[in-house]
Amino acid sequence: MSTINVISTSKCFGGDQLVISHDSTSLGCKMKFSIFLPPKSKDGKCPVLYFLSGLTCDEQVFINKGGAQKAAATYGIIIVGPDTSPRGCNIEGETDDWDFGVGAGFYLDATQEKWKKNYNMHTYVTQELPCFVNANFPAIPDRVAISGYSMGGHGALMLALRNPGMYRSVSAFAPICNPMNCPWGKKAFSGYLGPDIETWKEWDATELVAKYKGPPLMFLIDQGKEDQYYKEKQLLPENLTNACLANKFQCITRYQEGYDHSFYFVKTFIEEHIKHHSEILNS
Amino acid sequence: MSTINVISTSKCFGGDQLVISHDSTSLGCKMKFSIFLPPKSKDGKCPVLYFLSGLTCDEQVFINKGGAQKAAATYGIIIVGPDTSPRGCNIEGETDDWDFGVGAGFYLDATQEKWKKNYNMHTYVTQELPCFVNANFPAIPDRVAISGYSMGGHGALMLALRNPGMYRSVSAFAPICNPMNCPWGKKAFSGYLGPDIETWKEWDATELVAKYKGPPLMFLIDQGKEDQYYKEKQLLPENLTNACLANKFQCITRYQEGYDHSFYFVKTFIEEHIKHHSEILNS
């Protein structure tokens, strides 16, 4: 287990908003993540919500702009916010594009030579990070939920589908629902996974719905109707809805009138998502 | 009246978070400000809260990190967030320091030759900006409150004291209470106002309390006990408290256990401040 370094800590809504750094073995670099500890965690262990961020985000954006701390304090939920990719691995070209490489890890384990040593965000988020969190913070290891935004929204759906039983509750804000059929996803999957489209299906939520054989799970998704990327067909929520219908997988997608892809949309609905997760995690 | 340019608009908690730019005559440059329009403003005019930001902030920081939109939507309050100084005036040295010049206008009108053409944030915030807001948005011109954070907390107190009757309600988060007696304030006042300390007293809230001859006013102040700048004696809330006691001026200063100077502190208490302003503005 690597050493824990507390980068910052600030009291917030009676709890504590921390930023932590540690050495990650699955990613081969130093990583930062945020963790909010609700007041209730001073008296005992609490359930954990992992929140995965979108393209270009680091560990700071969600805790600054997401507005999640009040609801997390109210409902007694720990929120962990990982970074969106490895950092500082000095892979040639990794910082050239905002939608590939640094800030754009897509929560998968890369198979291509250039990326496979470091770009293993799936292993990091589902294995290494929870071990580290459970060892260092008052988290209940088997009461875990996952949510995310945009690329991280897909991460939440995909990780839950690939790891049956790991997450009791799943939600997403404006997720990239079917990456292998949108420009962002095609670019990322080609780079990290290579040209064989069959391998892409293992990392695409819409494809994975048909293969899911775990305990009953439900997706709660909010999607703004004025979201620029929704209009540009980067998100494709209809494809996921159709896959869920065909496979009797419960998915509630709420199309929110007037909302765009910004954190003003996330702020608006985050409390409802945390309340939703809390009801399942505490039941 | 200068032209209104909508830089961005995003739906948030049923209202709209806008960023506006316009040409300012009092500052001699283009300025940006944020304005949140609550859902209620679609059906009629609403009271306005001006929120003044701190050193280094621009018009983005408060709307990203402050967490004010939900309460503003709930209580039907428009929130206007000006920038913290003129921008792009190309005055020699204006970007050399983070605590003087750009990002550090201190909400006063400069008298020194080098700064007096542009650094007139007092005139901008009390006259030009309200005229512009009232002409372009559904604001009730005589139901106005003011608040702010750090340098902007002082701005809120000082503007209210210098302009009796202009603001019905005043609050502040970790304000610089007595700038002429702290390092930040001495640097700013020397630069903008020159060496004559008598002139500084016209722009210092603690000094102005004794001279206040307006309608009854009350200050609500929150101050974190773990605030680094409080400990370093940049904020000096005790000096303001003593001046208020000596002059029978009502000031409630709440020392909040464990909170620092960050926006995590502002987020935590902003809803209480907006509720407080709402009760006075709507009475």
Side-chain angles (χ1 to χ4, degrees):
Chain A
M1 185 71 61
S2 63
T3 315
I4 181 168
N5 302 298
V6 179
I7 302 289
S8 68
T9 175
S10 291
K11 191 168 177 180
C12 188
F13 289 102
D16 295 294
Q17 180 62 67
L18 287 81
V19 174
I20 303 295
S21 83
H22 68 138
D23 292 314
S24 164
T25 50
S26 53
L27 305 177
C29 65
K30 195 175 280 297
M31 288 295 282
K32 289 183 194 169
F33 66 90
S34 69
I35 180 164
F36 178 75
L37 300 172
K40 199 181 167 192
S41 70
K42 286 165 193 162
D43 303 320
K45 292 189 172 188
C46 292
V48 186
L49 169 65
Y50 286 83
F51 191 95
L52 308 182
S53 286
L55 290 167
T56 76
C57 290
D58 59 16
E59 88 292 344
Q60 287 291 331
V61 181
F62 177 64
I63 58 175
N64 280 320
K65 300 185 180 180
Q69 291 95 348
K70 187 184 179 185
T74 302
Y75 296 107
I77 306 286
I78 293 170
I79 302 186
V80 175
D83 204 344
T84 54
S85 75
R87 300 266 167 185
C89 297
N90 296 315
I91 300 171
E92 179 261 326
E94 73 172 343
T95 58
D96 289 357
D97 296 345
W98 65 272
D99 56 0
F100 184 73
V102 168
F106 269 83
Y107 305 101
L108 51 71
D109 291 340
T111 57
Q112 298 306 288
E113 196 53 38
K114 187 171 169 183
W115 307 100
K116 72 181 185 185
K117 180 174 167 244
N118 303 104
Y119 279 69
N120 297 308
M121 287 296 289
H122 175 262
T123 298
Y124 176 71
V125 172
T126 58
Q127 295 175 34
E128 187 177 10
L129 183 58
C131 279
F132 188 83
V133 166
N134 295 338
N136 288 286
F137 296 99
I140 305 176
D142 66 345
R143 290 189 184 261
V144 181
I146 193 160
S147 183
Y149 158 59
S150 197
M151 173 184 75
H154 181 258
L157 306 175
M158 182 267 284
L159 264 53
L161 290 164
R162 281 184 64 104
N163 298 277
M166 185 174 283
Y167 305 105
R168 293 197 186 193
S169 177
V170 185
S171 80
F173 297 82
I176 302 171
C177 289
N178 187 194
M180 59 188 287
N181 286 313
C182 79
W184 282 336
K186 286 178 185 174
K187 179 173 177 177
F189 285 9
S190 303
Y192 297 131
L193 304 171
D196 179 2
I197 289 178
E198 282 307 306
T199 66
W200 299 8
K201 294 181 179 174
E202 301 300 316
W203 301 99
D204 182 303
T206 294
E207 289 290 332
L208 288 167
V209 161
K211 298 177 192 165
Y212 182 74
K213 299 266 188 299
L217 203 58
M218 192 268 272
F219 291 158
L220 171 65
I221 296 174
D222 274 309
Q223 174 60 57
K225 280 195 184 178
E226 295 305 315
D227 182 328
Q228 163 196 359
Y229 301 115
Y230 170 54
K231 294 179 180 177
E232 291 173 6
K233 301 200 182 304
Q234 292 278 18
L235 308 180
L236 305 171
E238 298 84 358
N239 294 10
L240 178 67
T241 301
N242 290 337
C244 288
L245 279 171
N247 293 282
K248 298 191 167 53
F249 190 102
Q250 199 185 356
C251 178
I252 298 174
T253 303
R254 310 188 301 187
Y255 291 89
Q256 302 286 2
E257 200 74 53
Y259 287 90
D260 63 22
H261 198 74
S262 71
F263 263 97
Y264 297 111
F265 161 67
V266 177
K267 270 186 222 286
T268 302
F269 298 102
I270 191 78
E271 185 177 340
E272 284 182 42
H273 283 235
I274 292 171
K275 183 167 183 282
H276 168 77
H277 292 299
S278 164
E279 284 164 1
I280 295 171
L281 290 171
N282 290 312
S283 70
Chain B
M1 185 69 61
S2 63
T3 315
I4 182 168
N5 302 297
V6 178
I7 301 290
S8 67
T9 176
S10 290
K11 192 169 177 181
C12 188
F13 289 102
D16 294 295
Q17 181 63 66
L18 287 82
V19 174
I20 303 295
S21 82
H22 67 138
D23 291 313
S24 163
T25 50
S26 53
L27 305 178
C29 65
K30 196 176 279 294
M31 289 294 284
K32 289 183 192 169
F33 67 90
S34 68
I35 182 164
F36 178 75
L37 300 172
K40 199 181 167 193
S41 70
K42 287 166 191 159
D43 302 320
K45 292 188 173 187
C46 291
V48 186
L49 168 65
Y50 286 84
F51 191 95
L52 308 182
S53 287
L55 291 167
T56 75
C57 290
D58 59 17
E59 88 292 344
Q60 288 290 330
V61 181
F62 177 65
I63 59 176
N64 281 320
K65 301 185 180 181
Q69 291 94 350
K70 186 184 179 185
T74 302
Y75 295 106
I77 307 286
I78 293 170
I79 302 186
V80 175
D83 203 344
T84 54
S85 76
R87 300 266 168 185
C89 297
N90 295 316
I91 300 172
E92 178 260 325
E94 71 172 345
T95 59
D96 288 357
D97 296 344
W98 65 271
D99 55 0
F100 184 74
V102 168
F106 269 83
Y107 305 102
L108 50 72
D109 290 342
T111 58
Q112 299 305 288
E113 197 53 39
K114 188 171 169 183
W115 306 100
K116 71 182 187 186
K117 180 175 167 240
N118 303 104
Y119 278 69
N120 298 308
M121 288 296 288
H122 176 261
T123 299
Y124 176 70
V125 173
T126 59
Q127 295 176 33
E128 188 176 8
L129 183 59
C131 278
F132 189 83
V133 166
N134 294 339
N136 288 286
F137 296 98
I140 305 176
D142 66 345
R143 291 190 183 259
V144 181
I146 193 160
S147 183
Y149 158 59
S150 196
M151 174 183 75
H154 181 259
L157 306 175
M158 183 266 284
L159 264 53
L161 290 165
R162 281 184 63 104
N163 298 277
M166 186 173 282
Y167 304 105
R168 294 197 186 194
S169 177
V170 186
S171 79
F173 296 83
I176 302 172
C177 288
N178 188 192
M180 58 188 288
N181 287 312
C182 78
W184 282 337
K186 287 177 185 174
K187 179 174 177 177
F189 284 10
S190 304
Y192 297 131
L193 304 172
D196 179 3
I197 289 179
E198 283 306 305
T199 66
W200 297 9
K201 294 181 178 173
E202 301 300 314
W203 302 99
D204 182 301
T206 294
E207 289 289 333
L208 289 166
V209 161
K211 299 178 191 163
Y212 183 74
K213 299 263 188 302
L217 203 57
M218 193 268 272
F219 292 159
L220 171 65
I221 296 174
D222 274 311
Q223 173 60 56
K225 280 196 186 177
E226 295 304 315
D227 181 327
Q228 162 196 0
Y229 300 116
Y230 170 53
K231 293 178 179 177
E232 292 174 4
K233 302 201 181 301
Q234 293 279 18
L235 308 180
L236 304 172
E238 297 84 358
N239 294 9
L240 179 67
T241 301
N242 289 338
C244 288
L245 279 171
N247 292 282
K248 297 191 167 57
F249 191 101
Q250 199 184 357
C251 178
I252 298 174
T253 303
R254 311 188 300 187
Y255 291 89
Q256 302 285 3
E257 200 74 51
Y259 286 90
D260 64 21
H261 199 75
S262 71
F263 263 97
Y264 297 111
F265 161 67
V266 177
K267 270 187 220 289
T268 301
F269 297 102
I270 191 77
E271 185 177 340
E272 284 183 42
H273 283 235
I274 292 171
K275 183 167 182 281
H276 168 77
H277 292 298
S278 164
E279 283 163 0
I280 295 171
L281 290 170
N282 289 313
S283 69

